[in-house]
């Protein structure tokens, strides 16, 4: 009997962690972020030193941060933490777009490079949002309904 009680306590305490733990390497959204990161690395590598040290460094850091935050969030142990890191990843995607715009305006990107990066960028944004929505749905499922407050006009 004591074993059953201990086991149930363990399951209840760890349930959120068990649900939130998915190996990030298996997430399609992570793999897509990784592909974008590798593509951009290949684009920035041949730039001259000034371009690499200014725009290139910022661009690579921003795009690498997308996958890094997805990975960190998936290992944090709760849906709330995962959601927070996915939101940071979404911000890093926007920063990546900013630096790509700067690189294009400054003549560092060719039209063919843009053509190869654009489909990845166009796919990553909605997929990040879909992943974020799925995490949010899991947060809603995880919260007990007894603690939810009714919504009134006064709130």
């Amino acid at each position: 009997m004591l074993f059953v009680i201990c086991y149930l306590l363990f399951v209840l305490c760890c349930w959120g962690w068990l649900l939130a733990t998915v190996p990030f390497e298996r997430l399609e959204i992570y793999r897509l972020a990784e592909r974008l990161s590798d593509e951009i690395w290949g684009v920035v590598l041949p730039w001259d030193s000034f371009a690499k040290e200014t725009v290139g460094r910022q661009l690579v850091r921003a795009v690498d941060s997308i996958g890094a935050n997805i990975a960190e969030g998936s290992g944090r142990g709760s849906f709330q933490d995962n959601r927070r890191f996915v939101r940071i990843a979404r911000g890093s995607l926007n920063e990546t777009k900013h630096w790509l715009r700067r690189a294009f305006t400054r003549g560092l990107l060719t039209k063919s490079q843009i053509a190869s990066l654009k489909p990845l960028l166009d796919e990553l944004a909605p997929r990040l949002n879909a992943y974020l929505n799925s995490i949010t749905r899991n947060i809603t499922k995880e919260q007990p309904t007894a603690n939810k407050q009714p919504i009134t006009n006064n709130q």
Side-chain angles (χ1 to χ4, degrees):
M1 181 68 167
L2 181 62
F3 173 77
V4 172
I5 292 171
C6 289
Y7 178 75
L8 288 174
L9 285 174
F10 171 78
V11 169
L12 288 174
C13 290
C14 296
W15 185 248
W17 178 81
L18 291 170
L19 289 175
T21 302
V22 173
F24 68 89
E25 300 94 335
R26 292 179 47 201
L27 295 171
E28 280 186 46
I29 190 71
Y30 173 78
R31 290 179 184 174
L32 186 59
E34 202 172 35
R35 278 188 15 229
L36 178 63
S37 184
D38 292 342
E39 286 281 328
I40 288 177
W41 177 263
V43 166
V44 171
L45 207 54
W47 290 357
D48 68 47
S49 61
F50 180 73
K52 273 197 261 191
E53 291 171 13
T54 55
V55 176
R57 183 174 300 211
Q58 294 285 359
L59 176 56
V60 168
R61 287 178 70 147
V63 74
D64 283 349
S65 182
I66 300 167
N69 279 293
I70 293 167
E72 186 168 358
S74 73
R76 282 301 209 156
S78 76
F79 291 121
Q80 289 86 354
D81 279 344
N82 195 1
R83 180 175 60 179
R84 185 168 67 88
F85 280 93
V86 172
R87 285 178 173 158
I88 294 168
R90 190 171 54 182
S92 295
L93 176 60
N94 287 336
E95 183 181 359
T96 298
K97 289 177 180 181
H98 163 78
W99 288 115
L100 286 169
R101 289 173 57 87
R102 302 293 5 111
F104 180 73
T105 300
R106 295 171 185 172
L108 298 170
L109 294 175
T110 66
K111 289 187 182 202
S112 68
Q113 289 171 326
I114 299 226
S116 72
L117 294 173
K118 187 166 178 9
L120 293 171
L121 290 163
D122 289 346
E123 185 178 354
L124 191 54
R127 285 193 174 222
L128 260 176
N129 284 330
Y131 183 49
L132 185 59
N133 289 337
S134 73
I135 295 166
T136 301
R137 280 191 302 273
N138 283 322
I139 290 171
T140 305
K141 289 178 188 175
E142 189 178 63
Q143 294 173 345
T145 55
N147 292 339
K148 292 185 181 177
Q149 297 294 322
I151 298 174
T152 65
N153 291 336
N154 297 334
Q155 292 180 336

